[in-house]
Amino acid sequence: MAYSKNIAHRIRKSLEHLSNVEEKQMFGSLAFLLNDKICLTAGPKRMMCRINPELHQQEVQNDRCSTVIMRGRVHKGYLYIQEESLKNEKYFQHLISLALEFNKQLADK
């Protein structure tokens, strides 16, 4: 399994204050599950972020991220962000915040 150790480290640091985080190998990446729900992944040179599907179109309007498409299926609410775009710490934290906020909504259901 190939994934960016740098991205994984940054995600770990961003989630270290939370108690129910689990790391699991999934989809050829290192997935970070929060409350038993997939939240973020560190993949090869990119991060995947699970956000509220209602915010999806707004986020993909900029050129920093793209929609996750697996086996020809579009996954609204899942974004790929290339490692180069994650160098901007403010943008990285924005994505982490979106993922954590949506995870709370999933946990409340």
Side-chain angles (χ1 to χ4, degrees), residues 34-74:
L34 179 59
N35 301 315
D36 296 319
K37 307 278 191 256
I38 193 162
C39 188
L40 300 149
T41 70
K45 298 184 181 184
R46 68 181 178 199
M47 178 173 81
M48 194 271 313
C49 183
R50 185 177 185 190
I51 66 168
N52 186 328
E54 294 174 8
L55 301 176
H56 185 94
Q57 195 58 39
Q58 170 187 319
E59 291 301 314
V60 295
Q61 285 182 2
N62 71 54
D63 61 354
R64 294 180 181 181
C65 64
S66 61
T67 302
V68 171
I69 300 173
M70 287 198 291
R71 296 184 179 168
R73 183 170 173 237
V74 173

